[in-house]
Amino acid sequence: MQILDDVLALQLVDNIRNEIDVEQSYNKLVEMCEHIIKWFLRKYSPIIQKYDLIYDDVKQEMYIGLLQAVKHCPIDCRKFYDWLMSYLQGSCLNYFKFNTNRLTPHSENKEKRLEEFKSFSLNDNINEENEYLDLLEYHDYSFSDFLEH
């Protein structure tokens, strides 16, 4: 079983570099790498759950890692999979490094975030704030939304 078709992936990277069907090439590359990103999410699930991190944020960081891998991939690269894995791993670990140091384990985290949110809120309606926190945690971002910003 082939995890990632390196020949096709490198062709897509070349298309992106040469500005040939950039959006289609990115979309195809994301589609090809989606199972790898899901694997990383499963691998780091205990850390994500322990610190009450948001899966979509970690996933977005891995999309950034994918973009960085494309951007910095050497022209003579033969194994895009190896190159990609190092960037995805680095983006995950970097995200955890900067986000787990300031968070408490999840039992206290939601209450702490709620208190921080209340201190900046102009509205005293606690139910509205809880709904807003839930929307922040469960919003589904697509890759095309990410490219537009």
Side-chain angles (χ1 to χ4, degrees), residues 3-20:
I3 297 172
L4 183 70
D5 183 356
D6 282 320
V7 175
L8 179 57
L10 289 171
Q11 180 61 46
L12 293 170
V13 169
D14 284 340
N15 287 351
I16 293 166
R17 281 191 183 141
N18 297 325
E19 298 181 5
I20 302 169

Side-chain angles (χ1 to χ4, degrees), residues 61-62 64-73 82-92:
E61 286 296 318
M62 285 189 278
I64 293 170
L66 172 61
L67 292 173
Q68 293 297 318
V70 169
K71 181 179 178 181
H72 297 289
C73 183
D82 295 338
W83 187 258
L84 174 67
M85 291 298 280
S86 65
Y87 271 85
L88 292 179
Q89 176 95 12
S91 64
C92 280

Side-chain angles (χ1 to χ4, degrees), residues 104-126:
T104 58
H106 83 257
S107 60
E108 303 166 11
N109 194 24
K110 186 166 185 173
E111 289 78 19
K112 183 179 177 183
R113 286 187 298 162
L114 183 59
E115 290 302 315
E116 289 173 0
F117 183 79
K118 282 173 41 181
S119 68
F120 292 105
S121 177
L122 299 175
N123 186 350
D124 293 329
N125 186 348
I126 193 74

Side-chain angles (χ1 to χ4, degrees), residues 6-69:
D6 282 320
V7 175
L8 179 57
L10 289 171
Q11 180 61 46
L12 293 170
V13 169
D14 284 340
N15 287 351
I16 293 166
R17 281 191 183 141
N18 297 325
E19 298 181 5
I20 302 169
D21 296 328
V22 175
E23 188 172 342
Q24 289 177 344
S25 297
Y26 267 126
N27 288 336
K28 180 65 177 169
L29 196 56
V30 167
E31 183 183 313
M32 290 173 58
C33 297
E34 190 68 30
H35 69 283
I36 298 170
I37 290 173
K38 286 179 182 177
W39 179 83
F40 270 104
L41 287 173
R42 282 192 304 273
K43 176 182 178 183
Y44 290 119
S45 183
I47 294 171
I48 294 169
Q49 290 175 358
K50 178 180 179 184
Y51 290 99
D52 197 28
L53 300 173
I54 300 168
Y55 278 89
D56 285 339
D57 288 348
V58 179
K59 190 174 184 179
Q60 186 175 13
E61 286 296 318
M62 285 189 278
Y63 284 136
I64 293 170
L66 172 61
L67 292 173
Q68 293 297 318

